[in-house]
């Protein structure tokens, strides 16, 4: 019960703050949420809300007039269910409202009939031909599925062949070239060493 009362007071507080903010703006002193409010007894909080609401009603004439209207005619502020006829109208007024739309019903029915007449209905022979084409269409769809499966298989085989070519031919050729380059480098190194040894021998003989 205490939690319910606290929630009700917080709801009333938020509504009063919202109205005050719309009328006066934010003065920097109004708490933003219920957690920032100082802990006060429920009686004091309710009295403060009543005082602030009375101040709003006394300072804003529109609210005072609305409050008077609400007290005298509370049904104006409550929307009745759609299936309930308006209580402000008597039976004759309701009958007049319904009869005022009576001419719209034949016009709507005529428009619907015209739409049905203007919409051509396919001949039975054409419909039979279309129905006869259904098995052929299903067979074509099945053939298309088979072709798609064959194309997918060929694509996979092509990918495998290309991979094998690169692995066996291209990579093999690159390995051969790398081996030849390594041999050439070793031969060049041996030649340079022999040339160096020959130059040293000539210098020593001189």
């Amino acid at each position: 019960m205490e939690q319910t009362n606290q929630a009700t007071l917080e709801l009333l507080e938020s509504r009063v703050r919202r109205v005050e903010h719309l009328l006066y703006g934010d003065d920097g002193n109004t708490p933003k949420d219920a957690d920032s409010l100082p802990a006060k007894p429920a009686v004091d909080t309710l009295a403060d809300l009543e005082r602030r609401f009375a101040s709003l009603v006394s300072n804003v004439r529109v609210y005072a007039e609305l409050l008077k209207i609400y007290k005298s005619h509370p049904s104006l502020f409550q929307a009745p269910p759609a299936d309930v006829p308006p209580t402000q109208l008597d039976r004759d007024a309701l009958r007049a409202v319904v009869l005022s739309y009576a001419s719209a019903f034949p016009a709507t029915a005529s428009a619907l009939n015209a739409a049905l007449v203007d919409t051509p209905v396919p001949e039975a022979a054409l419909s039979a031909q279309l129905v006869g084409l259904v098995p052929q269409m299903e067979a074509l769809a099945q053939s298309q599925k088979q072709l798609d499966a064959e194309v997918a298989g060929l694509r996979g085989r092509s990918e495998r062949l290309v991979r094998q070519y690169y692995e066996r031919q291209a990579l093999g050729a690159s390995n051969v070239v790398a081996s030849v380059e390594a041999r050439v480098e070793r031969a060049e190194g041996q030649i340079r060493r022999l040339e160096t040894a020959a130059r040293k021998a000539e210098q020593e003989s001189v």
Side-chain angles (χ1 to χ4, degrees):
M1 185 66 179
E2 183 177 356
Q3 294 179 355
T4 304
N5 294 336
Q6 183 66 25
T8 304
L9 291 176
E10 291 177 357
L11 180 60
L12 292 174
E13 175 74 16
S14 64
R15 290 182 177 179
V16 172
R17 285 204 311 270
R18 190 179 301 113
V19 174
E20 290 176 343
H21 179 74
L22 291 175
L23 293 176
Y24 308 119
D26 188 5
D27 58 359
N29 298 323
T30 303
K32 299 301 181 183
D33 50 26
D35 296 336
S36 61
L37 293 174
K40 295 192 299 184
V43 176
D44 295 341
T45 303
L46 185 59
D48 181 63
L49 291 176
E50 290 179 352
R51 178 186 57 78
R52 291 163 62 181
F53 184 73
S55 176
L56 289 174
V57 173
S58 61
N59 293 331
V60 183
R61 182 179 178 182
V62 175
Y63 281 117
E65 297 296 332
L66 287 175
L67 189 59
K68 291 180 181 179
I69 296 174
Y70 177 77
K71 290 181 179 179
S72 58
H73 303 284
S75 60
L76 295 177
F77 296 86
Q78 298 177 358
D83 55 348
V84 177
T87 57
Q88 294 85 357
L89 301 178
D90 55 10
R91 183 171 298 180
D92 294 336
L94 292 175
R95 185 183 298 108
V97 172
V98 174
L99 292 178
S100 64
Y101 289 93
S103 59
F105 294 105
T108 304
S110 177
L112 292 175
N113 291 330
L116 293 175
V117 172
D118 294 339
T119 303
V121 178
E123 297 181 0
L126 294 177
S127 300
Q129 291 179 1
L130 292 176
V131 173
L133 293 176
V134 170
Q136 298 180 9
M137 297 173 64
E138 293 178 351
L140 290 175
Q142 187 65 27
S143 300
Q144 183 65 36
K145 291 181 180 179
Q146 294 178 358
L147 289 175
D148 293 340
E150 292 179 0
V151 169
L154 292 174
R155 186 181 296 111
R157 293 174 59 185
S158 300
E159 292 177 355
R160 288 192 296 271
L161 290 175
V162 172
R163 187 183 303 110
Q164 291 177 1
Y165 169 78
Y166 277 105
E167 291 177 353
R168 297 178 181 178
Q169 302 295 330
L171 293 179
S174 63
N175 292 332
V176 171
V177 172
S179 177
V180 171
E181 290 179 350
R183 291 180 181 179
V184 171
E185 290 178 356
R186 288 196 297 270
E188 290 178 349
Q190 292 177 0
I191 292 172
R192 285 194 296 270
R193 286 193 295 272
L194 292 174
E195 290 177 349
T196 302
R199 285 195 297 270
K200 288 182 179 180
E202 290 178 357
Q203 292 175 359
E204 291 177 354
S205 62
V206 173

